[in-house]
Amino acid sequence: MSPRRSPRSSPRKPHAATPRPRWSAVARTPLGACAGLLLLAVIALAVLAPVLWSGRASVVDTGALQQGPSGAHLLGTDNLGRDILYRVLVATRLSVSLAVAATLLGVSLGLVLGAAPAVLPRRAGRLVTSAVNVTVAFPGLLLALFFAVIFGVGAKGAVLAIGLATAPAFARLTHTLSASVAGRDHVAAARTLGVGRLRLLTRHILPNIAEPLAVNATIGAGASLLAFAGLSFLGLGVQAPDYDWGRLLGEGLDRIDLTPAAALAPCAAVVVTGLAFNLFGEAAAAALGIRTLRHRTTSPRPAPQAPSKGSDRKRESRPVLLVEDLQVALPGPSGWSTPVRRVSFTLWPGEAVGVVGESGAGKSLTAMAVSRLVELPAHVTAHRLEFDGTSLLGPGPRELRALLGTSMAMVFQDPMSSFNPVMSVGRQLAEVAEHHRRLSRRSAFEQAVDQLRAVRVPAPERRARQYPHEFSGGMRQRAMIGMGLMGDPKVIIADEPTTALDVTVQRQVLRLLDTVRTERATAVLLISHDITAVARTCDRVLVMYAGRIVEDLPAAGLLTEARHPYTRALLSAVPDLDTDRNRPLAVIPGRPPQPHRLPPGCAFAPRCPRSDDLCRRKDPRPVTYATGQRVACWHPVEGEPAPKAPPGQGAAEHGGPGPRLERAANGDVEESTGGPTV
Amino acid sequence: MSELVFDGVSVRYGTRRHALTAVDGARLTVPGGQVVGLVGESGSGKSTLARAAVGLAPLSAGRVLVNGTDTRRSRGRRRPVQMIFQDPYSSLNPRMTVAASVAEAFPRERGGSRAARHAEVARLLGQVGLDADLAALLPGQLSGGQRQRVAVARALAARPQVVIADEITSALDVSVQGAVLNLVRDVQRELRLTMLFISHDLAVVRYVSDHIAVMYLGRIVEVGPTEEVLADPRHPYTRELLAAVHGHTAGPRKDAETVTDTEPADPHHPPSGCRFHPRCPEGPAVRAEREVCRTDDPVSDAASRPRRTACHFATATATATALPERGLRDRVRENGNP
Amino acid sequence: MTTATAAAAPPRTWRGNRWALFGIRRAARLAASLWTLVTAAFLMIHLVPGDPVRAALGLTASPELVAARRAQLGLDDPLWRQYLHFLGGLFTGDLGTSTITGQPVADTIGDRLPATLQLAALAFLLAMALAVPVGTAMAALTRGGGRRAAELGFTTVSALLAAVPEFLLAVVLAYVFGVRLGWLPVAGDQGPGSYVLPVLALATGPACVLARIVRVEMLSVLGHDYVRTARAKRLPPHLVYTRHALPNALTATLTLGGLLLSALVAGTVLVENVFAWPGLGSTIVQSILQKDYPLVQGIVLVYGASVLVVNLLVDVVLALLDPRSVIREV
């Protein structure tokens, strides 16, 4: 019901994930196949064994009482001389069918009870729910014992007992599942269409929970089987002369020192069958559930790009961040993909640089890679990755910990989930000083209070003792920035710091970042999908598309100087307060490419109005202009102000000669991937 | 063309001490065939107001009228108000094909043959710019933009008199957002739909809407024609919102800035008097003489003020602290050509 | 939509009361559950098909004896009166008398309960002591898709062991260690050695389930933003794990651990029967078979109440661990 979810705050969904049942996929997993075969074998046995061997199982052989295994009786005989092997095999039918009957009873009762609150009037529904909640607190076996007393000792009583004992758990499951589905917007949409309650249940809710229910029913059948064996073993289930595995086990246990097979054989039968049900359910859950079938990737990891010849000219001061040819590779089902490719940029002290682009452009991954927070299985390579003159590539995390812990601050998108929910905010800030500056617990906490005050959190002494959930979103983000300031950061890397916040709060947070920057000369790397926010707060803007920087330009020149068609398109697609209301908004046709399916040429070419054959064939290298602007485009837009019409309409004619002149002036910039060339 | 009227609508959740009045006596008229944009921060109650209009949130007071008829009377049969939801990933049933989802919305009384329904689905998909071949697909096979188009088609299929669009672009990427906004605008103009368009993004609302209504803590604090509200905002909160879009980083006054930095109010315990007063840069927190904001509720006589502004000083302060009207473009232009 | 903001800045007026409210609600829930339990136990005797006294005394008992026993048990009174009497008895610790032995039920339970409690407590401690470190270690080892063999080995072994019910495991253990190797006694309580097999049988399954849960929870917690924040603070890994990840993983683990603990209480019934353990479990089965309903009733009450107490304890521990859960409840 959150009124606003940004594209970033909701987890990215796979585009082509079909929710169709994929039970066949279950059989394709090794576990699923084994469990399925086992299950089939058990069912076959249950059908055939009594037909084939019930005679032999009941033959009383007074000459061979309580014998051990022999040629005639593979598993020995019982106290009446009956063959144990055949008895165990024949018992399959009764054991399995009673378990299945109990499960069916329990599942259908549970389904009715669980779905009832959705259809019944509110009060009646609530009554059902609370009744279920009370009973579900008791373990199934206790309930089964209770019902067994009521229904009397015997097979029928046991089926009823186990069925009734299973029902509450199933009702609860049905209820939670359907409640979660009922909270989704498609159910709300159906309700606004006037769809009735029953149809809502049968058409919109039950189909969406059928799979987990089926999976759980399978596992439940396994559990019923075990419970039945338990009851029969205790003498409360199947009564003589009938026999199931539990009763065979109970009889066999008394003579376990004489003929262990009499106890161990039914034991094995119960375990194997229970496992078959269980594992099949588990395999189905795994295959149908969140995780898809994982294939071990075999394609080789892409080799790091050969280093390019960057210019070595430097400014007087040392850059805070120097990134050259950064690449992040991720293993996927179809081999390695590179969501960040050959990214190079420099961040100077006190400078604010923004990174913009659509979701999936690799912005956040770039930030994570630069701050060395990318974890396995992702793989980061770079020609150079220097923080304040220290290479981050060579030393291990242990050596870097002290340096980065105090001089590099991170601010993340969602301030709610970025704080540890079970630790007070003050403690979480203090931790930094405790570890990197060896302060005592008390003085670290005092520092934390000071920092909270510095980022203008009201009543910092009280606030420091509170937990994150007691803070509002804006205050949390302030505290997050304060946490970064516990050291003496040279750079703040802020990954979508305002996306989850309200507009008025966004402004406050950006203003705070700006204050910190001017007061402490801290550099800021601001990652955002909001190009206007970035243009407002930053000195320079890096535009990313499909994992690489396509343009790097001063924020002030964003509207007039942008040369890459993508930058232009991005600018004109966002309405602002000056947009002409009578003209349609500019749109960028198509979708960004997936990182594992990049086109051979320029990644933007399929969506670009200026693209030609060259663009589709060859990926453009970034070209540095005299102004310091970098553009990776074969046909950059020249000079004219950004059109407010769909991109490229007025600029379809080639702006060819411009960059070539620049190239001539810059010598070998053609080869440059844009190191620090200024 | 039907008119949508919120007549003193209140929505209250919970009981006793945990009661939460999400919407408090909202009065708003969406004129027939026009678009009213509703802005406000999260928790301001704008989505709850929308859900109240389609019967998803219980009214504890007031009425929602479509052409003078209480919407609660039209339960069960065809619903005159339809809604498009924020998240296109959850607003379509993953187990129903596009065609089934759209067809489910057809008004009940109009039976029609299978072929006719088929043709109608295809027509609607065409209307929202989708290929008719998509009808057989499941939502999982569509992109976010396509899903949102299907959601629009489903809303249209019910032949609504009023459509409510609740944050329909906030889950989409910018390149897709533009296309969906264009679609909504085109469809609205073509069908002369009455529409309530909800968004937290003032620029988006401005682009789509004829009128703008601003909500704060469950109340509508200002309503007026788009251009007027933006050019001359009367409520201090509207000015805050505008300032956020204009993005001038320096506030009007230092002390006023610290005021706007305070915590948003708790909707369980709304402040007395004017609900905005603890955060108001022109209110009692900054100007001690404005005690009236703490004690008197400006909503009660809002109707007498221009644009029904819920502010005691709506007329007095309007020009006194006018914003530095500098948009991104202005700033960029200045910096770009020194 | 409004709850997020509501939780954001609760005013002090009801902050102090939150624990009180939590306590009241919990107490009310416990009372409701207890009442359900007591009523169900009371009704049980009346739901039993036929005359419970006749069933207990057998078909050969004389009508006079049956009538006398019925009068003695108060079964001829009106139902409401019996109910009140039953409730009154509960408050004074009177659970009735056994129809077989004629002994007070409370005495029998008092004799047998300690043995069962010892088993359950030891098994729970063992399960926790095994599951938390193993699960955490497995999560640390296998995160990010590393060490597939270890992951596969762990998941397979734990799934297999978790699927074997405790009484079957008990049979196998009794056979291997008692009969075959003769290391440990297989029946009754004959000193410390007797505890080993029943406790092992009881603890193995829950330990495996818990270890799996701890691992999965740990993995999911390690993927959370606040763990990324902890890493961004450049804390050493052991602190990231123990201070930021483990407490959060434990809250979810405890919720399920509570269910396991009450299942473990029930599991004692079967395991006691395998090892002829002189506890409540063997007593209840005997009394069901002998149709000694007052005794069954008393033991059901004790089992049910202990499950409820366990659930309450888990909730309180959860609330102490995770400050949010108090709010969520209220």
Side-chain angles (χ1 to χ4, degrees):
Chain A
M1 280 232 311
S2 158
R4 180 161 67 90
R5 245 171 286 143
S6 69
R8 260 131 231 97
S9 60
S10 55
R12 229 157 268 153
K13 282 105 182 169
H15 272 296
T18 350
R20 235 180 250 285
R22 287 159 298 160
W23 287 88
S24 58
V26 180
R28 264 183 267 127
T29 60
L31 185 65
C34 290
L37 283 178
L38 207 56
L39 207 55
L40 282 181
V42 168
I43 292 170
L45 202 58
V47 174
L48 297 177
V51 182
L52 296 177
W53 302 307
S54 65
R56 281 200 234 180
S58 52
V59 171
V60 176
D61 182 355
T62 42
L65 300 178
Q66 301 203 13
Q67 279 189 348
S70 65
H73 305 289
L74 280 178
L75 290 179
T77 56
D78 68 0
N79 52 358
L80 288 178
R82 291 174 295 200
D83 187 285
I84 289 172
L85 176 63
Y86 286 123
R87 283 174 73 80
V88 169
L89 290 176
V90 171
T92 309
R93 180 184 283 183
L94 196 61
S95 304
V96 172
S97 57
L98 287 178
V100 169
T103 312
L104 283 181
L105 177 69
V107 167
S108 22
L109 197 63
L111 208 57
V112 170
L113 285 176
V119 191
L120 288 177
R122 225 162 86 192
R123 264 167 206 281
R126 231 180 248 175
L127 201 69
V128 173
T129 315
S130 44
V132 165
N133 281 344
V134 168
T135 39
V136 89
F138 298 100
L141 189 74
L142 278 192
L143 290 178
L145 278 181
F146 177 80
F147 288 121
V149 173
I150 293 177
F151 295 119
V153 169
K156 210 200 297 169
V159 167
L160 285 172
I162 291 175
L164 288 183
T166 329
F170 231 83
R172 172 77 153 261
L173 182 72
T174 310
H175 184 70
T176 14
L177 287 174
S178 53
S180 93
V181 173
R184 282 193 221 152
D185 282 345
H186 68 81
V187 177
R191 283 171 62 194
T192 67
L193 293 171
V195 173
R197 277 183 173 176
L198 207 59
R199 185 180 155 86
L200 216 54
L201 187 68
T202 54
R203 192 76 215 253
H204 289 271
I205 295 178
L206 287 183
N208 281 304
I209 62 171
E211 270 179 16
L213 284 183
V215 165
N216 277 288
T218 316
I219 297 176
S224 295
L225 186 92
L226 301 181
F228 227 105
L231 278 189
S232 290
F233 162 74
L234 294 176
L236 306 174
V238 173
Q239 301 293 313
D242 293 333
Y243 53 95
D244 70 343
W245 289 330
R247 210 170 75 80
L248 290 179
L249 173 62
E251 287 170 0
L253 186 62
D254 299 336
R255 294 172 288 111
I256 194 166
D257 43 344
L258 299 174
T259 50
L264 295 181
C267 217
V270 173
V271 169
V272 167
T273 314
L275 266 182
F277 278 110
N278 252 335
L279 291 184
F280 188 74
E282 299 271 354
L288 301 172
I290 328 105
R291 260 173 287 170
T292 45
L293 315 173
R294 277 177 295 178
H295 297 291
R296 191 100 169 90
T297 47
T298 43
S299 64
R301 184 181 289 169
Q305 299 276 341
S308 52
K309 283 172 279 173
S311 164
D312 274 328
R313 273 176 292 160
K314 280 190 178 176
R315 270 192 206 176
E316 313 297 305
S317 59
R318 211 159 47 175
V320 179
L321 266 179
L322 176 58
V323 182
E324 248 183 69
D325 286 342
L326 179 77
Q327 178 160 308
V328 182
L330 275 173
S334 48
W336 287 83
S337 63
T338 46
V340 172
R341 304 176 292 147
R342 308 197 74 167
V343 163
S344 304
F345 67 91
T346 318
L347 185 63
W348 298 99
E351 193 183 26
V353 170
V355 183
V356 297
E358 292 176 84
S359 51
K363 310 184 293 289
S364 294
L365 208 50
T366 304
M368 291 297 113
V370 164
S371 49
R372 301 299 286 153
L373 286 173
V374 169
E375 292 195 290
L376 288 174
H379 192 79
V380 179
T381 52
H383 174 42
R384 285 170 83 179
L385 177 54
E386 287 174 15
F387 172 66
D388 198 28
T390 314
S391 173
L392 300 183
L393 291 173
R398 197 182 297 268
E399 289 78 44
L400 291 174
R401 215 174 278 148
L403 171 71
L404 297 184
T406 50
S407 351
M408 184 187 275
M410 302 289 298
V411 178
F412 297 110
Q413 175 192 353
D414 186 347
M416 180 73 220
S417 61
S418 296
F419 272 107
N420 186 341
V422 302
M423 220 164 142
S424 77
V425 171
R427 273 291 285 143
Q428 297 190 50
L429 264 74
E431 222 179 17
V432 181
E434 261 175 63
H435 280 279
H436 298 302
R437 295 166 50 193
R438 307 263 163 234
L439 292 187
S440 71
R441 202 162 160 151
R442 174 187 292 257
S443 55
F445 195 82
E446 278 164 11
Q447 278 243 316
V449 173
D450 287 346
Q451 283 309 335
L452 286 178
R453 188 176 295 117
V455 292
R456 291 223 300 273
V457 168
E461 292 85 2
R462 180 169 64 87
R463 288 307 211 161
R465 285 184 172 70
Q466 291 187 330
Y467 288 91
H469 68 265
E470 297 173 274
F471 277 51
S472 72
M475 284 302 146
R476 267 183 228 125
Q477 205 57 298
R478 279 163 193 277
M480 192 70 159
I481 295 172
M483 185 148 79
L485 300 180
M486 288 297 288
D488 186 19
K490 295 203 161 59
V491 62
I492 298 178
I493 298 178
D495 184 5
E496 303 270 5
T498 60
T499 309
L501 304 175
D502 277 312
V503 272
T504 48
V505 184
Q506 278 181 14
R507 185 167 64 122
Q508 296 165 15
V509 169
L510 289 178
R511 204 157 55 191
L512 179 64
L513 277 177
D514 208 50
T515 317
V516 170
R517 176 163 77 104
T518 44
E519 284 173 3
R520 308 199 183 201
T522 310
V524 173
L525 187 67
L526 176 70
I527 288 99
S528 176
H529 70 287
D530 184 350
I531 198 165
T532 45
V534 163
R536 213 177 279 151
T537 0
C538 296
D539 306 315
R540 221 146 37 90
V541 178
L542 310 176
V543 183
M544 283 193 80
Y545 185 78
R548 73 170 22 178
I549 294 179
V550 294
E551 184 154 18
D552 170 356
L553 79 170
L558 199 54
L559 282 171
T560 44
E561 309 290 318
R563 286 188 162 95
H564 199 284
Y566 178 65
T567 314
R568 297 246 160 167
L570 208 55
L571 276 168
S572 51
V574 186
D576 64 15
L577 291 179
D578 304 320
T579 308
D580 187 349
R581 295 181 53 206
N582 293 315
R583 295 178 64 176
L585 287 171
V587 294
I588 312 174
R591 273 193 263 158
Q594 304 281 324
H596 58 273
R597 259 185 268 142
L598 290 173
C602 172
F604 188 56
R607 306 172 76 187
C608 180
R610 299 170 77 90
S611 66
D612 63 9
D613 215 36
L614 176 62
C615 303
R616 281 182 285 273
R617 249 190 9 252
K618 233 178 142 208
D619 202 3
R621 292 281 183 82
V623 171
T624 309
Y625 288 72
T627 50
Q629 188 174 355
R630 276 187 304 155
V631 183
C633 179
W634 294 118
H635 309 297
V637 188
E638 286 308 315
E640 70 263 46
K644 247 331 196 182
Q649 273 190 1
E653 69 279 3
H654 281 206
R660 252 166 245 143
L661 285 175
E662 298 288 348
R663 270 181 201 135
N666 264 327
D668 65 345
V669 258
E670 173 92 46
E671 290 303 310
S672 160
T673 49
T677 46
V678 185
Chain B
M1 279 194 287
S2 325
E3 190 182 56
L4 172 70
V5 176
F6 293 93
D7 181 18
V9 168
S10 292
V11 179
R12 203 164 289 131
Y13 290 115
T15 48
R16 287 162 291 132
R17 53 193 305 149
H18 306 302
L20 168 76
T21 309
V23 176
D24 187 18
R27 281 176 203 285
L28 179 65
T29 302
V30 184
Q34 300 205 27
V35 185
V36 170
L38 186 59
V39 289
E41 58 194 9
S42 54
S44 64
K46 45 190 202 308
S47 288
T48 310
L49 190 66
R51 296 176 87 86
V54 290
L56 290 175
L59 298 188
S60 50
R63 299 175 301 168
V64 180
L65 306 170
V66 173
N67 272 344
T69 319
D70 197 323
T71 48
R72 276 177 291 188
R73 299 251 172 76
S74 50
R75 275 281 150 91
R77 306 189 57 81
R78 58 177 296 182
R79 306 277 179 111
V81 187
Q82 279 307 315
M83 181 151 154
I84 308 167
F85 293 83
Q86 172 186 13
D87 181 3
Y89 289 93
S90 86
S91 71
L92 295 176
N93 187 342
R95 303 273 161 183
M96 277 165 80
T97 62
V98 167
S101 276
V102 173
E104 192 179 49
F106 289 147
R108 219 56 53 76
E109 60 262 37
R110 212 190 33 162
S113 67
R114 226 181 134 76
R117 292 165 76 86
H118 235 77
E120 179 67 3
V121 169
R123 187 189 69 77
L124 283 161
L125 289 183
Q127 193 165 31
V128 297
L130 286 178
D131 204 32
D133 297 345
L134 294 183
L137 296 186
L138 288 169
Q141 295 159 294
L142 304 179
S143 73
Q146 286 172 322
R147 280 158 173 252
Q148 205 55 302
R149 284 170 192 268
V150 173
V152 174
R154 177 179 56 189
L156 295 180
R159 305 246 160 162
Q161 292 159 293
V162 178
V163 169
I164 294 175
D166 185 11
E167 298 272 11
I168 54 169
T169 59
S170 60
L172 303 174
D173 249 318
V174 277
S175 60
V176 186
Q177 165 183 298
V180 171
L181 284 179
N182 286 343
L183 166 74
V184 165
R185 222 181 53 134
D186 291 348
V187 167
Q188 187 270 331
R189 292 196 177 173
E190 194 181 319
L191 302 177
R192 315 271 300 141
L193 283 171
T194 306
M195 182 180 273
L196 183 65
F197 186 91
I198 298 170
S199 174
H200 65 280
D201 188 337
L202 203 55
V204 166
V205 165
R206 174 194 163 274
Y207 178 71
V208 183
S209 316
D210 306 304
H211 300 262
I212 288 184
V214 183
M215 251 185 125
Y216 184 77
L217 265 192
R219 291 173 165 185
I220 291 172
V221 295
E222 183 167 359
V223 193
T226 301
E227 297 304 336
E228 278 182 36
V229 171
L230 295 182
D232 179 23
R234 291 299 172 104
H235 197 283
Y237 179 63
T238 317
R239 282 198 282 278
E240 280 286 302
L241 284 178
L242 260 175
V245 181
H246 279 301
H248 61 113
T249 36
R253 288 160 58 169
K254 195 71 190 166
D255 49 350
E257 191 180 304
T258 43
V259 168
T260 54
D261 276 355
T262 51
E263 293 268 327
D266 173 13
H268 286 274
H269 301 267
S272 62
C274 171
R275 292 188 166 190
F276 189 57
H277 85 252
R279 281 173 71 186
C280 183
E282 295 150 31
V286 179
R287 301 183 178 191
E289 75 278 10
R290 295 192 163 173
E291 236 351 85
V292 63
C293 300
R294 286 189 216 274
T295 52
D296 292 12
D297 190 348
V299 166
S300 51
D301 51 349
S304 64
R305 295 194 203 97
R307 277 188 243 134
R308 301 223 317 270
T309 309
C311 174
H312 295 298
F313 303 96
T315 39
T317 54
T319 46
T321 50
L323 285 172
E325 290 286 337
R326 280 178 12 153
L328 163 67
R329 262 153 232 285
D330 301 317
R331 188 192 147 192
V332 161
R333 248 168 245 138
E334 276 166 37
N335 295 350
N337 312 306
Chain C
M1 55 166 257
T2 31
T3 43
T5 344
R12 253 171 297 175
T13 44
W14 55 280
R15 272 198 59 216
N17 295 341
R18 226 180 304 163
W19 278 96
L21 270 171
F22 173 77
I24 292 170
R25 279 187 79 108
R26 269 305 127 102
R29 193 185 293 179
L30 181 68
S33 306
L34 270 179
W35 176 78
T36 317
L37 174 70
V38 166
T39 311
F42 167 75
L43 289 176
M44 183 170 76
I45 271 196
H46 299 273
L47 289 172
V48 172
D51 181 352
V53 174
R54 164 65 69 192
L57 296 179
L59 291 171
T60 51
S62 66
E64 292 77 28
L65 183 61
V66 171
R69 192 53 74 80
R70 278 189 70 88
Q72 185 198 342
L73 289 173
L75 285 175
D76 296 325
D77 291 342
L79 202 59
W80 63 268
R81 193 122 170 222
Q82 288 186 46
Y83 186 51
L84 284 185
H85 184 250
F86 180 69
L87 287 182
L90 282 184
F91 281 106
T92 54
D94 174 16
L95 294 171
T97 47
S98 159
T99 46
I100 303 290
T101 62
Q103 270 189 347
V105 170
D107 290 359
T108 314
I109 290 177
D111 283 349
R112 301 300 185 103
L113 184 60
T116 299
L117 278 184
Q118 283 166 357
L119 268 197
L122 283 175
F124 180 70
L125 289 180
L126 180 65
M128 286 301 259
L130 283 176
V132 173
V134 170
T136 310
M138 287 315 294
L141 281 178
T142 58
R143 67 177 308 202
R147 277 173 256 239
R148 304 265 310 170
E151 184 189 349
L152 201 67
F154 170 75
T155 46
T156 317
V157 170
S158 61
L160 286 177
L161 281 178
V164 177
E166 61 284 85
F167 69 103
L168 295 186
L169 192 65
V171 170
V172 174
L173 286 176
Y175 174 66
V176 173
F177 293 101
V179 176
R180 259 296 153 87
L181 301 172
W183 290 353
L184 296 159
V186 285
D189 183 357
Q190 310 161 12
S194 306
Y195 284 87
V196 176
L197 292 183
V199 167
L200 262 185
L202 273 173
T204 305
C208 289
V209 177
L210 262 181
R212 285 168 71 92
I213 294 171
V214 170
R215 175 174 162 268
V216 169
E217 281 304 320
M218 209 48 195
L219 282 178
S220 108
V221 165
L222 287 175
H224 273 285
D225 288 351
Y226 52 81
V227 172
R228 183 180 60 180
T229 308
R231 291 199 299 123
K233 283 194 255 182
R234 317 288 164 179
L235 296 177
H238 72 268
L239 278 185
V240 174
Y241 278 98
T242 55
R243 192 181 287 167
H244 289 276
L246 195 57
N248 285 293
L250 279 186
T251 52
T253 310
L254 257 179
T255 320
L256 292 155
L259 288 178
L260 280 179
L261 181 55
S262 41
L264 199 139
V265 170
T268 54
V269 176
L270 285 157
V271 171
E272 282 181 18
N273 275 283
V274 174
F275 291 105
W277 191 259
L280 279 184
S282 36
T283 317
I284 192 176
V285 173
Q286 263 169 32
S287 50
I288 291 176
L289 290 173
Q290 295 173 335
K291 303 195 195 300
D292 186 352
Y293 292 116
L295 190 54
V296 173
Q297 196 178 42
I299 298 177
V300 161
L301 271 178
V302 170
Y303 273 126
S306 56
V307 164
L308 290 178
V309 169
V310 164
N311 288 348
L312 183 76
L313 283 181
V314 167
D315 282 345
V316 170
V317 173
L318 263 183
L320 289 174
L321 266 182
D322 185 352
R324 286 170 305 172
S325 62
V326 182
I327 289 200
R328 233 179 280 133
E329 278 309 315
V330 172

